[in-house]
Amino acid sequence: MFDTLSERLGGIFERLTKRGALSEADVKEAMREVRRALIEADVALDVARSFVDRVRTKAVGQEVIRSVTPGQMVVKIVHDELVAMLGDEAVGLDLQAAAPVPIMLVGLQGAGKTTLAAKIGLRLKDRTKAKVLMASLDTRRPAAQEQLKVLGEQAEVDTLPIVAGQSPVDIGKRALNAAKLGGYDVVLLDTAGRTHVDDALMAEMTEIQAVTSPHEVLLVADALTGQDAVNLAQSFDAAVSLTGIALTRVDGDGRGGAALSMRAVTGKPIKVIGVGEKLDAIEDFDPSRIAGRILGMGDIVGLVEKAAATLDAEKAAKAAERMRKGAFDMNDLAEQLGQMQQLGGMSGLMGMLPGVGKMKKQVDALGLDDSVFKRQMAIISSMTKAERAKPDLLKASRKRRIAAGSGTQVQEVNKLLKMHRQMADVMKAMGKGKGRGMMGRLAGAMGGTPGGMGGMGGGMPQVTPEQMEQLAKAGGGLPGLPGGLPGGAPGLPGGLPGLPGSAPLPGLPNTKKKT
């Protein structure tokens, strides 16, 4: 969602950081461009103006002028102000109340309330082991209640039985009674919406709130809303006293202004964000990490947490053991591809790595889209068990059969086999302690330096198979990161594909170092 804004700000700050000293005129010119970038990203005009004024006041002070790297100091000031605008600290869902805790979801029609209810229900069930009941109070949209029931079955979260003819208020009362009798910890109330804010909608929301006394009232807003997001948030806050905001479709191509504007204008924290279509595609909103992503600083902590939640530590330990022995067959490659998709694919992974945002165009030029992985998985699935275990068996006739079975061309089968051989060679070298890190290989392919990664500086940590196996067994933080990650990363598997120093990313082209 923040790609366009990130690219614009990145270009502005890159010009600043290249200068040895900054004058007041330099800072003012940069701030004019920052304001223009924010407005183009659909940030409300008052919010953009206030943000730039605060940054300019700090950026023309003696602290920047006397700094050894004044350009980087300005970037730090902008980062800190972005964090302040998005909310100084992460604020999660508040469940500190007598059970069952009512959580009411409000918003316009089409914002994604029903899907978000199922996502929150699944998250609470898995993360906090809470017993959750979901209830649809939407009697206006056809099949809205049936939709929540189906989503509840998919997420294995209980839903309130549908009783035809009941009003939203009656359904709310029945949901609370059922939750109390059933011993539920949380009851999620999915309310109706309209295509626009009107008096009838607000009256219905107010009546439901009076009857159910929700502990949390979340405004579910589409990240594509744009400038109108501010009016939307203010209208609902006046009617039902919002306690927080939930953004959906953050993975879309919106400009990011909704997130920056709503928090700044209403003062209500953004608590959760929907980052995909799947029911587990939901994240807690962390202002510091989002600001880091906007400014191209990546989100390594978020990547590690995502890996810890999605990857299997036992499988990773076995993979590390096979790496050390130099064994890497098609089954291992398929496992790597599957892990990559679990982490959000190539685009999701790249967006969380520091410095990669600066090289977005070069990365795009490599053609590393996720459809390549799907074709590769189809090719591997078309092989027999013997062929996956011993790729050397694949001669011309077998390749033709596999290509026909996977709906691909023989050339694509050959490319996959070539990539496998290259990765197997790297695995053997890593097993002997001679392997180069993945980021070094990627930088080499792009004409950069293995340690620098496009000017990141300091190099990236190198992780050997032994360290990865130890990591999987101990459940510790990433080896080589300065001081460890905050709070560690319990249960992080060792064979995390694509992290610096580990196995090369599947699907990368020939990455021999350029001379």
Side-chain angles (χ1 to χ4, degrees):
M1 181 178 73
F2 293 110
D3 279 354
T4 304
L5 179 59
S6 179
E7 192 173 333
R8 285 291 307 276
L9 294 179
I12 295 168
F13 296 138
E14 189 173 0
R15 292 194 293 274
L16 281 183
T17 52
K18 284 181 179 178
R19 299 179 185 177
L22 291 180
S23 66
E24 187 171 332
D26 292 332
V27 174
K28 287 184 177 179
E29 174 62 27
M31 290 305 105
R32 275 196 295 271
E33 293 188 44
V34 168
R35 183 173 66 177
R36 192 177 298 121
L38 291 173
I39 292 172
E40 288 178 2
D42 275 342
V43 176
L45 181 60
D46 291 343
V47 176
R49 185 183 292 125
S50 173
F51 174 83
V52 170
D53 288 344
R54 291 197 307 273
V55 173
R56 184 189 292 116
T57 301
K58 294 181 180 179
V60 297
Q62 293 298 313
E63 184 181 6
V64 170
I65 303 301
R66 294 178 180 177
S67 173
V68 177
T69 54
Q72 292 180 2
M73 197 68 187
V74 172
V75 176
K76 181 184 183 302
I77 292 171
V78 172
H79 175 271
D80 292 345
E81 287 300 324
L82 269 178
V83 172
M85 183 192 294
L86 292 168
D88 290 322
E89 58 184 26
V91 180
L93 293 174
D94 182 11
L95 302 180
Q96 301 303 313
V101 180
I103 298 177
M104 181 178 171
L105 303 182
V106 301
L108 295 183
Q109 185 174 316
K113 294 188 298 297
T114 303
T115 303
L116 186 73
K119 288 182 177 182
I120 293 175
L122 176 61
R123 189 176 183 83
L124 292 176
K125 176 176 74 80
D126 290 345
R127 291 285 182 93
T128 65
K129 307 303 178 185
K131 188 178 180 183
V132 182
L133 176 67
M134 301 190 298
S136 174
L137 281 62
D138 188 351
T139 59
R140 294 179 176 271
R141 183 166 61 90
Q145 293 177 309
E146 285 78 5
Q147 181 190 0
L148 186 65
K149 179 183 177 183
V150 170
L151 290 172
E153 290 171 354
Q154 293 175 1
E156 297 182 354
V157 175
D158 293 341
T159 55
L160 187 72
I162 300 172
V163 176
Q166 279 197 321
S167 69
V169 173
D170 291 337
I171 297 173
K173 291 179 182 177
R174 183 162 60 90
L176 284 182
N177 289 332
K180 290 175 183 176
L181 293 173
Y184 288 90
D185 301 306
V186 178
V187 55
L188 288 166
L189 304 173
D190 174 27
T191 64
R194 304 285 194 284
T195 55
H196 61 279
V197 175
D198 62 25
D199 293 338
L201 172 63
M202 291 307 170
E204 183 177 299
M205 296 302 105
T206 304
E207 193 174 358
I208 292 171
Q209 184 186 37
V211 169
T212 59
S213 302
H215 186 64
E216 284 269 29
V217 181
L218 297 181
L219 170 63
V220 182
D222 191 327
L224 307 178
T225 305
Q227 290 274 357
D228 195 46
V230 174
N231 298 329
L232 172 69
Q234 289 176 328
S235 298
F236 274 98
D237 189 35
V240 291
S241 300
L242 301 174
T243 60
I245 298 168
L247 282 181
T248 59
R249 298 188 181 93
V250 173
D251 58 318
D253 57 358
R255 299 179 186 177
L260 297 172
S261 301
M262 282 196 288
R263 172 63 179 85
V265 171
T266 65
K268 307 299 180 183
I270 300 173
K271 298 200 171 187
V272 293
I273 53 177
V275 294
E277 295 181 3
K278 295 183 179 179
L279 291 181
D280 59 354
I282 181 173
E283 294 179 5
D284 293 326
F285 184 85
D286 189 310
S288 180
R289 296 186 198 174
I290 294 296
R293 290 191 202 181
I294 292 174
L295 296 180
M297 298 174 182
D299 183 8
I300 283 290
V301 176
L303 178 58
V304 170
E305 287 182 353
K306 196 170 186 179
T310 59
L311 301 185
D312 190 322
E314 187 176 343
K315 287 183 180 178
K318 290 178 181 178
E321 177 64 26
R322 288 177 59 78
M323 279 186 211
R324 188 167 61 234
K325 293 178 179 178
F328 186 78
D329 59 21
M330 285 294 177
N331 293 311
D332 296 312
L333 179 56
E335 185 69 29
Q336 293 281 313
L337 291 168
Q339 289 184 355
M340 178 67 72
Q341 289 177 325
Q342 284 183 336
L343 287 172
M346 178 65 77
S347 57
L349 180 60
M350 287 295 190
M352 301 176 87
L353 292 175
V356 176
K358 297 179 183 178
M359 301 186 298
K360 188 175 185 299
K361 290 181 180 178
Q362 294 96 315
V363 173
D364 290 343
L366 290 174
L368 304 178
D369 60 49
D370 297 337
S371 64
V372 174
F373 295 160
K374 293 178 181 178
R375 291 198 298 273
Q376 290 173 340
M377 289 290 283
I379 292 171
I380 295 173
S381 298
S382 297
M383 297 177 185
T384 65
K385 288 183 179 180
E387 288 167 347
R388 286 197 291 268
K390 293 183 179 181
D392 293 338
L393 295 174
L394 296 175
K395 305 304 178 187
S397 60
R398 291 179 184 245
K399 290 177 184 177
R400 286 195 296 271
R401 188 203 79 238
I402 291 168
S406 58
T408 58
Q409 302 295 321
V410 173
Q411 294 93 318
E412 292 182 82
V413 179
N414 287 330
K415 283 182 183 178
L416 180 66
L417 293 173
K418 181 179 179 181
M419 184 189 75
H420 170 264
R421 285 194 299 272
Q422 290 175 342
M423 291 182 69
D425 290 341
V426 173
M427 298 303 173
K428 290 177 183 177
M430 288 177 65
K432 297 175 183 177
K434 299 178 182 179
R436 286 173 62 202
M438 180 280 293
M439 296 304 280
R441 292 173 62 87
L442 181 56
M446 296 175 182
T449 56
M453 194 57 187
M456 285 164 56
M460 295 295 285
Q462 303 298 313
V463 189
T464 66
E466 288 78 8
Q467 287 176 312
M468 287 194 289
E469 185 176 8
Q470 291 171 7
L471 182 62
K473 291 178 179 177
L478 277 173
L481 279 180
L485 292 172
L492 175 66
L496 178 58
L499 271 183
S502 70
L505 286 173
L508 284 179
N510 187 2
T511 54
K512 292 181 180 177
K513 186 177 178 182
K514 292 183 178 179
T515 55

